[in-house]
Amino acid sequence: MHPTATFPLLALRCPWWTRRVLSLQRSVTRRHVIMAWTCSGESNTALVENMAKNGLITDERVKDAFVKVDRAHYAPVRPYEDSPQSIGHRATISAPHMHAAAVEHMLPYLVPTGTCPRRILDVGSGSGYLTHILAELSGPDSLVVGLEHIVELRDLGSRNMSRSEDGQRLLAEGRVKFCVGDGRLGWIEASASSSPDGSNSWDAIHVGASAREVHPELIRQLKAPGCMFIPVDDDSYGDSQHVWKIEKDQQGQVTQKRLFGVRYVPLTDAPRP
């Protein structure tokens, strides 16, 4: 479940003057082709403003959450560059525009509704950056769990989040937890942190690594209604991948929508010692 550098295949393989044409051929929306050369900034606020100007962030609630969470607490170098970076253990922190895409696609399932507190699972939480943003969006009494299959990455997320007063508060209040487990199996939280209705299901599940399939247990743990943002391999080699938006309606019916091409590391077992 390594978190990963997640950005369109076009940006890796095509010269800039062909990207717009090929993006139409591969059904990649233009706003996800805009990359580091247009969105990077000199500060966290500038980075977020640039993503908003380029249509990568369209909702003010998303913009506010990204402004509150300083990426410098999570990215080891050049934190305000819209590009992925290594965080060790063969893992990366994704480019900010990809985190923005995930949040915007899941937004109705992230923000408070006035009824039940939100429960959100971040599989492959890595640096903890997106986990923190999800917590800022989900409101009081919510629970966001960052799940990693490597102890060191779990500890990294918690340590990074503790670098800000807001992060320390969210951890102290129990609104954010970092855990170790197999993300393909989801996560069953202790009953004390379950929903008011007694369920252990999730309003939203974000997966930060490419799965060979949409794992049944993740769908089972999704609330009705609920939403999952997950990259899935197009073939057995994992050379081609697309992000899928999986939604479960009030009646439990599941629909899937392919969004855009990406390049993620695989959702796998933890490395052996």
Side-chain angles (χ1 to χ4, degrees):
M1 278 128 15
H2 290 296
T4 181
T6 53
F7 42 92
L9 290 171
L10 298 177
L12 289 172
R13 299 178 180 175
C14 303
W16 67 268
W17 59 85
T18 65
R19 283 193 195 108
R20 187 170 184 182
V21 174
L22 290 179
S23 67
L24 296 175
Q25 295 173 350
R26 299 181 66 93
S27 299
V28 179
T29 58
R30 183 178 182 276
R31 67 176 182 166
H32 297 300
V33 179
I34 299 169
M35 297 293 289
W37 47 87
T38 55
C39 293
S40 298
E42 294 298 320
S43 66
N44 193 63
T45 299
L47 168 65
V48 177
E49 289 288 350
N50 287 337
M51 288 195 290
K53 289 176 183 176
N54 284 295
L56 299 169
I57 292 177
T58 63
D59 190 286
E60 283 297 319
R61 294 168 296 182
V62 176
K63 183 178 176 181
D64 290 345
F66 272 80
V67 169
K68 287 180 181 178
V69 182
D70 193 340
R71 195 167 183 262
H73 295 155
Y74 298 90
V77 294
R78 301 185 304 280
Y80 309 127
E81 183 176 290
D82 188 17
S83 62
Q85 293 182 25
S86 172
I87 57 172
H89 305 282
R90 293 179 289 177
T92 64
I93 177 173
S94 297
H97 74 269
M98 281 305 304
H99 284 144
V103 168
E104 291 247 335
H105 278 289
M106 296 190 296
L107 188 60
Y109 303 91
L110 302 177
V111 294
T113 62
T115 54
C116 294
R118 291 299 196 186
R119 288 170 48 87
I120 302 166
L121 179 62
D122 184 17
V123 176
S125 50
S127 71
Y129 176 65
L130 181 60
T131 316
H132 190 168
I133 289 172
L134 295 172
E136 293 289 350
L137 281 164
S138 58
D141 302 318
S142 62
L143 172 66
V144 181
V145 171
L147 185 61
E148 262 301 340
H149 69 330
I150 298 176
V151 172
E152 290 81 2
L153 288 176
R154 177 205 60 186
D155 295 344
L156 175 65
S158 181
R159 188 165 60 250
N160 286 344
M161 199 165 179
S162 298
R163 296 176 68 184
S164 69
E165 290 185 4
D166 282 346
Q168 292 173 21
R169 174 178 53 81
L170 290 168
L171 290 168
E173 292 175 354
R175 288 175 52 189
V176 174
K177 297 181 178 182
F178 290 96
C179 303
V180 174
D182 187 341
R184 297 167 296 188
L185 303 178
W187 183 256
I188 303 299
E189 184 59 26
S191 58
S193 299
S194 62
S195 301
D197 60 5
S199 72
N200 273 291
S201 53
W202 305 97
D203 293 281
I205 299 175
H206 168 265
V207 181
S210 188
R212 292 190 175 182
E213 61 176 337
V214 180
H215 295 288
E217 185 60 21
L218 293 178
I219 293 179
R220 190 190 71 79
Q221 291 183 23
L222 201 60
K223 275 188 182 181
C227 181
M228 176 163 49
F229 183 95
I230 179 171
V232 181
D233 294 345
D234 294 331
D235 54 48
S236 60
Y237 299 103
D239 292 331
S240 176
Q241 304 164 353
H242 279 80
V243 168
W244 289 79
K245 181 178 180 180
I246 314 294
E247 291 185 278
K248 184 186 290 186
D249 67 18
Q250 191 74 48
Q251 289 70 44
Q253 295 296 311
V254 176
T255 59
Q256 305 182 46
K257 180 180 180 181
R258 192 170 80 163
L259 299 179
F260 46 81
V262 289
R263 187 62 177 162
Y264 281 71
V265 295
L267 187 64
T268 63
D269 299 321
R272 294 181 179 180

